[in-house]
């Protein structure tokens, strides 16, 4: 049986604190009341931002896998996949580096958000 919440607590906060609490609650996908209740009772509050970053990293990782697979096919010496120029290899390597940099940026962004909370 779920117990109905009938009591309300008042917590004085500054305008900055209120905004920060509302932002953190929104970032977790929780109402302010549920967020404050979970934090106050010592529960681990899931972060929607963390989940978004993980999804972003997974997409980038998938891109890297596809680019790596293409490069591997090129290197098998299959006549149908013959590399026509050195520029194609260089373009593929640039794509890999770009994707790696995007992944690194996403990881650093996630780490910075964790550090600032």
């Amino acid at each position: 049986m779920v117990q109905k919440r009938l009591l309300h607590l008042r917590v004085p906060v500054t305008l900055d604190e209120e905004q920060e609490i509302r932002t953190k609650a929104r970032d977790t996908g929780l109402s302010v009341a549920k967020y404050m209740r979970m934090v106050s009772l010592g529960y681990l509050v899931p972060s929607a931002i963390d989940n978004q970053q993980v999804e972003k990293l997974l997409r980038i990782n998938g891109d890297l896998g596809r680019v790596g697979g293409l490069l591997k096919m090129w290197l098998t010496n299959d006549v149908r996949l013959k590399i026509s120029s050195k520029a194609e290899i260089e373009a593929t390597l640039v794509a890999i580096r770009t994707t790696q940099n995007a992944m690194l940026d996403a990881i650093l962004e996630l780490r910075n958000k964790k550090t600032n909370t």
Side-chain angles (χ1 to χ4, degrees), residues 72-84:
K72 184 177 179 180
M73 284 192 319
W74 275 349
L75 297 174
T76 62
N77 293 326
D78 188 334
V79 176
R80 294 172 293 154
L81 300 170
K82 187 168 177 106
I83 299 170
S84 60

Side-chain angles (χ1 to χ4, degrees), residues 59-106:
R59 282 192 301 275
I60 293 169
N61 188 52
D63 291 345
L64 275 177
R66 284 186 287 282
V67 171
L70 177 60
L71 187 58
K72 184 177 179 180
M73 284 192 319
W74 275 349
L75 297 174
T76 62
N77 293 326
D78 188 334
V79 176
R80 294 172 293 154
L81 300 170
K82 187 168 177 106
I83 299 170
S84 60
S85 71
K86 183 180 175 184
E88 284 182 277
I89 294 174
E90 289 174 355
T92 301
L93 292 174
V94 166
I96 291 171
R97 282 189 206 101
T98 301
T99 307
Q100 286 173 324
N101 288 335
M103 193 171 208
L104 179 61
D105 290 345

